Amino acid sequence: MNEIILIAAAGEANELGRDGDLPWHLPDDFAHFKKATSGHPIIMGRKTFETFPKPLPNRWHLIVTRDRDYAAGHPGCTVVHSLEAALQAVASREKAFVIGGGEIYRQALPHATQIILTRVHGNFEADTFFPELDPKAWELVQSEYHPRDARHEVAFTKQHFRPRP
């Protein structure tokens, strides 16, 4: 495995979502997510997978759950019972993306080779959070601000982090 990339959108207090839903609608960020992850494996927890109306096209879904009886019921979806099993399954791939939720991000953080974080400028009601990034361990290498506009109710900044050498 060359790259394990955490990709997420989080509010100023690391909020990811509430009750299985995002607290914002950011079409340009969705397009960025689609472009980045298309053609690559995506690793997620069961709750995150169940928020999708159907599997995302052109991606191999690896669903992490402790439930030994869980079945995804869709082609292109593989159920695994630990993050380590998911990482082993994608070991021969050039890159894989970890797409949530909060617990999966926490488990994957020590394995990450980069983080693509959309920092949504605001504070939101949430029950799921992105892990706090240690500034001694992670370096911001690129940042691109997107203002609030007619299609985006809040401003956001796309941030790209790499481990510090």
Side-chain angles (χ1 to χ4, degrees):
M1 167 57 58
N2 291 337
E3 297 275 348
I4 299 292
I5 304 160
L6 275 57
I7 187 167
E12 297 287 353
N14 288 326
E15 310 96 313
L16 289 169
R18 182 181 176 103
D19 299 325
D21 203 6
L22 298 174
W24 48 73
H25 179 69
L26 305 172
D28 287 355
D29 188 52
F30 287 138
H32 174 256
F33 173 87
K34 180 180 179 181
K35 182 179 179 187
T37 62
S38 191
H40 301 288
I42 52 176
I43 300 168
M44 72 209 79
R46 175 192 53 81
K47 290 178 189 173
T48 297
F49 175 70
E50 290 178 351
T51 65
F52 301 158
K54 61 183 182 188
L56 302 175
N58 197 27
R59 291 167 205 116
W60 175 25
H61 296 60
L62 291 104
I63 303 143
V64 181
T65 179
R66 290 185 210 99
D67 182 351
R68 297 280 173 186
D69 298 322
Y70 187 78
H74 297 280
C77 297
T78 302
V79 175
V80 294
H81 301 291
S82 68
L83 176 67
E84 289 71 23
L87 295 175
Q88 198 168 32
V90 300
S92 65
R93 300 296 184 103
E94 178 188 339
K95 62 176 81 168
F97 289 85
V98 176
I99 67 165
E103 181 58 29
I104 300 298
Y105 285 130
R106 271 187 290 288
Q107 290 179 29
L109 188 58
H111 304 278
T113 57
Q114 55 181 302
I115 298 170
I116 301 170
L117 180 64
T118 298
R119 181 62 73 189
V120 184
H121 300 300
N123 291 293
F124 306 89
E125 289 290 321
D127 57 19
T128 308
F129 296 86
F130 192 77
E132 192 70 37
L133 296 181
D134 180 352
K136 293 178 187 156
W138 292 96
E139 177 179 23
L140 179 64
V141 294
Q142 188 176 354
S143 181
E144 182 183 339
Y145 178 76
H146 189 296
R148 181 174 178 251
D149 62 24
R151 295 177 58 235
H152 301 84
E153 59 200 32
V154 291
F156 59 94
T157 302
K158 289 184 212 160
Q159 300 176 320
H160 192 154
F161 293 89
R162 292 265 186 195
R164 287 196 182 273

